[in-house]
Amino acid sequence: MSSANNPQQNGTNAEKKTMRAVVWEGKPYEIAVRDIPLPKIKQPEDAIVRMTTAAICGTDLHTYHGIFGSTNPPWQMGHEGIGIVVEVGEATERIKVGDRVLVPARPDLGSFSVNKALEEQALLYGEGSEFGGLGGSQAEYLRVPFADDSLLGLPNDCSSDLDWLFLSDIFITAWTGLDYARFQAGDSVAIFGAGPVGLLCAYSAILRGASKVYSIDHIRERLDKAGSVGAIPIDFTSKDGTASQQILHREPLGVERTVDCIGQECLNHRLKPQQNYVIQEAIKMTKYNGGIGLLGVYGAQGKSAGRPRGDLMNRELSISIPDLWFKSLSMGSGSVGTYLYEVMPTAYELVKSGRAQLDWIVTSQIGIEDAPQAYERFDKKKEIKVVIRFYWKRGQTSKAVADVGVVGQGIGERRPRRFPIPDNGRNGGSDQKRRDEDAKGNEDPEEGK
């Protein structure tokens, strides 16, 4: 008998029929938490992962705004996560029940093709049927296809999920943005956006030996966070001029590399929507023979039930091709896709060795029922990175789960930060205060009864 047919052996609850999940229902600026059916093994290569930690990504906000995703809602949200394997199909070999695993944002198809269709390139958890219909990580359980190729085993120790979580998407995405711009050690870099991806792009540039890193945003807390890791903050709404004017004042020839970590929902220096603004600014500030990486989402898909405000995004943007051409600029762009798996070995070793420490971008840890409020706060720039933690009661888990140190790793968990972020009195200790508040309000109400 395959393990897929023996849920009790695999540590799952055979009586449980539904799970809680964050769901997009097609209503802009609204997100819901619903009971939905538990995922099941569909193919012998599948695995079911019980999530321990997930996160809200900037891409999720494009869906929240009603401009990105599949045509027909509803669908589960989320594409960043860590969990424990609780069930496997009979053809899985490497992944076993009880393994602690990272779930990358998109699965590996388990095969190679030089002729991939667009649909295969666009696979992504948490974006509905047109992105593979894969379910989402902001849920108690997730089905993972081609589990042996699509899951990354994590150390069976007591390291926090926060040490590893951002290898599922944003750290590797940020790293790849520099590759799109053809970054080399010693280059100067300007990065648009000091949200989670932009901050990790700045951090990655510093790790990779950038001579200078400029972080461009207008939210003071985010600029301070960028400054705390060694980037030079640039407020593009400042009286000192636009971002390009400020950069060129400091670097008269421009910077070698520019990375757009914002995308099509960008604002101009008057804080008005202008879809081509960041690209135009990037062309102005990038040095001759330099490179530009477009990492932010530019997926203008049109209006539908799943994208009720999709018609706000233009498919045709005006940029200065003569300036691009005369300056001999290169430009790389696109979703990260298979780069997740190409960069993963490097990223994994950086985290394992302690060289890269990524939990400093987290500003709140919540339970799944608080997801609607967390989306609203994140959208209003009151958060930088929100993590969803899932309750694991000891009576509900297998010995294999207990062995990997996840039981009791509760919501709002606090631990010494191995990568301290200097406060310098500018934020009033906001990071630690927010973590303290999380810890007070998010203990499992059933624990200890």
Side-chain angles (χ1 to χ4, degrees), residues 52-70:
T52 56
T53 307
I56 302 174
C57 181
T59 302
D60 298 330
L61 289 185
H62 298 311
T63 300
Y64 182 70
H65 296 161
I67 67 167
F68 185 75
S70 293

Side-chain angles (χ1 to χ4, degrees), residues 173-208:
T173 295
W175 189 280
T176 303
L178 295 168
D179 292 340
Y180 285 168
R182 301 186 179 181
F183 172 84
Q184 299 179 65
D187 285 345
S188 56
V189 185
I191 297 165
F192 279 91
V197 173
L199 286 171
L200 288 184
C201 191
Y203 181 55
S204 297
I206 292 167
L207 281 175
R208 296 173 66 174

Side-chain angles (χ1 to χ4, degrees), residues 86-100:
V86 294
E87 192 173 352
V88 296
E90 60 187 6
T92 58
E93 298 178 354
R94 183 178 63 86
I95 295 298
K96 306 296 183 184
V97 170
D99 285 352
R100 182 190 188 198

